[in-house]
């Protein structure tokens, strides 16, 4: 199999290594707007570098992996669809609902495959939590608590391009909340704080956020995030039911210290970032994509999944801005109206 990779930044470089050593990938063709970076990555993993995305599409590839800047995702998804090529794309499809709908429409019209990069669906802990909920071992689920905490803010130049904390960061929590529980979010009430570094205020973003989410069966969930968690990279989900309670993301590298006299001390090697914490999940999602391309597996995370998660993120942005509860149906209706 011949795979094209567009984008060789931090996550793209990681994907290049995974794809280059995959037993079903015979050749890898990479490109980046920074030609020198693409050449360096290609040399490191034994791939071929070309000068543009157009050259990737013209290189006889069987599928494409899109890890470029977010602004290019929708156009590249459309190009892959028109070429009849299966595509894997890092989230998001686009930073707004109309752009997302437009790309999804092209995929639907072409009848092509689009798999989205929500890697937490391939993490062992989240998978075990999903199985526990499905098996009923927790009893009636009444509370879910999700948290994503980055150890340090991203570069200031990234913030205006990110879409904001809800769309860029918490969208992972919104997606995996739906996946683990099997329920839909119906209403949100969200707020955020820009009391940290001044670059967040300059970008109109927040460095810390919290949302209260109501699911369609009455389960209550909270989702919190921050860019300023100096203890380390911390991603967790706690699920509480009438019979039991479980936690995802609690291990000997979780960057938390108990205040109790007999509680655990700070970890010796806290998780430093998302690539280290979710490396096995990133590998698993690309392996799944290869199997999808080969016709061995149904698509485990199609583009509509990104749409539903983005609707929740959009509802949270409206709620934060207007300081009121917002239903996901209200946001979906507005998006349908805007799309005509």
């Amino acid at each position: 199999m011949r795979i094209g990779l567009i984008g060789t930044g931090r996550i793209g470089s990681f994907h290049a290594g995974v794809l280059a050593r995959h037993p079903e990938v015979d050749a890898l063709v990479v490109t980046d707007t920074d030609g020198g970076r693409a050449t360096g990555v290609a040399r490191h993993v034994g791939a071929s570098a070309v000068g543009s995305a157009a050259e990737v599409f013209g290189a006889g590839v069987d599928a494409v992996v899109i890890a470029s800047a977010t602004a290019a995702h929708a156009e590249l998804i459309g190009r892959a669809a028109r070429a009849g090529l299966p595509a894997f794309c890092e989230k998001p499809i686009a930073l707004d609902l109309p752009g997302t709908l437009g790309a999804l429409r092209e995929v639907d019209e072409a009848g092509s495959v689009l798999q989205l990069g929500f890697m937490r669906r391939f993490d062992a802990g989240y998978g075990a939590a999903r199985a526990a909920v499905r098996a009923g071992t927790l009893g009636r689920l009444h509370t879910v608590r999700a948290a994503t905490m980055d150890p340090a803010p991203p570069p200031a130049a990234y913030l205006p391009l990110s879409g904001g904390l809800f769309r860029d960061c918490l969208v992972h929590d919104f997606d995996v909340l739906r996946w683990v529980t099997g329920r839909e979010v119906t209403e949100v009430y969200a707020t955020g704080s820009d009391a940290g570094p001044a670059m967040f205020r300059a970008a109109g973003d927040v460095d810390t956020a919290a949302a209260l989410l109501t699911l369609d069966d009455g389960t209550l969930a909270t989702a919190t995030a921050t860019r300023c968690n100096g203890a380390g990279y911390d991603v967790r989900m706690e699920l509480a039911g009438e019979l039991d309670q479980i936690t995802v993301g609690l291990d000997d590298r979780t960057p938390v210290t108990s205040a109790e006299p007999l509680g655990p001390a700070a970890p010796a090697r806290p998780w430093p970032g998302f690539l280290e914490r979710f490396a096995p999940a990133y590998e698993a999602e690309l392996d799944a994509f290869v199997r999808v391309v080969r016709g061995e597996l149904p698509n485990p995370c199609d583009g509509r999944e990104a749409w539903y998660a983005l609707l929740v993120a959009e509802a949270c942005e409206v709620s934060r801005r207007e300081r009121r509860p917002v239903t996901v149906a209200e946001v979906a209706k507005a998006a349908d109206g805007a799309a005509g």
Side-chain angles (χ1 to χ4, degrees):
M1 182 183 300
R2 188 174 179 85
I3 300 287
L5 172 66
I6 303 171
T8 57
R10 188 177 180 189
I11 189 62
S13 297
F14 183 90
H15 288 339
V18 172
L19 292 167
R21 61 178 177 266
H22 195 286
E24 299 296 340
V25 177
D26 304 309
L28 179 66
V29 182
V30 306
T31 193
D32 194 280
T33 53
D34 183 335
R37 182 166 65 187
T39 299
V41 169
R43 185 182 303 117
H44 180 70
V45 303
S48 301
V50 295
S52 67
E55 291 181 67
V56 168
F57 283 102
V61 296
D62 300 297
V64 294
V65 172
I66 301 168
S68 61
T70 296
H73 286 186
E75 190 274 330
L76 291 170
I77 288 169
R79 185 182 295 187
R82 293 189 296 274
L85 291 175
F88 174 96
C89 185
E90 281 299 327
K91 64 84 190 165
I93 292 174
L95 289 178
D96 59 15
L97 296 174
T100 302
L101 275 178
L104 290 176
R105 191 173 295 118
E106 289 211 66
V107 172
D108 289 344
E109 290 173 354
S112 59
V113 171
L114 172 63
Q115 181 181 328
L116 261 292
F118 282 114
M119 77 291 185
R120 295 188 194 182
R121 292 176 176 230
F122 298 86
D123 176 74
Y126 284 106
R130 186 176 192 264
V133 171
R134 297 299 193 280
T137 57
L138 304 182
R140 182 186 67 86
L141 192 65
H142 53 73
T143 307
V144 182
R145 294 175 287 271
T148 295
M149 293 170 275
D150 290 334
Y158 173 75
L159 293 179
L161 308 175
S162 71
L165 193 59
F166 290 105
R167 299 186 191 94
D168 180 56
C169 182
L170 276 167
V171 72
H172 279 291
D173 297 271
F174 302 150
D175 174 71
V176 84
L177 173 64
R178 297 179 59 249
W179 187 73
V180 167
T181 65
R183 314 304 308 193
E184 296 295 343
V185 177
T186 59
E187 185 177 78
V188 309
Y189 188 78
T191 188
S193 170
D194 61 3
M199 64 181 182
F200 288 94
R201 292 186 291 279
D205 196 6
V206 294
D207 59 79
T208 303
L212 173 63
L213 314 168
T214 301
L215 307 190
D216 58 13
D217 65 346
T219 299
L220 296 181
T222 59
T224 63
T226 185
R227 301 287 199 185
C228 306
N229 194 57
Y233 182 71
D234 190 357
V235 171
R236 274 178 279 159
M237 174 181 275
E238 300 171 358
L239 298 104
E242 291 182 336
L243 299 180
D244 202 357
Q245 179 173 237
I246 58 174
T247 301
V248 179
L250 183 61
D251 58 25
D252 61 359
R253 300 191 68 181
T254 305
V256 63
T257 304
S258 175
E260 300 296 333
L262 300 180
R269 294 173 57 245
W271 292 111
F274 65 91
L275 280 180
E276 295 82 4
R277 165 66 177 84
F278 287 110
Y282 280 117
E283 294 206 27
E285 70 175 358
L286 284 179
D287 178 67
F289 178 61
V290 170
R291 293 173 63 195
V292 168
V293 175
R294 288 172 55 84
E296 301 171 352
L297 187 75
N299 192 343
C301 187
D302 68 26
R304 288 289 164 184
E305 301 299 308
W307 167 253
Y308 293 126
L310 183 58
L311 281 177
V312 179
E314 288 288 337
C316 286
E317 282 290 0
V318 174
S319 177
R320 178 181 75 89
R321 185 172 62 249
E322 300 183 4
R323 297 181 177 272
R324 64 177 178 90
V326 175
T327 66
V328 175
E330 171 190 338
V331 174
K333 182 178 180 180
D336 287 341

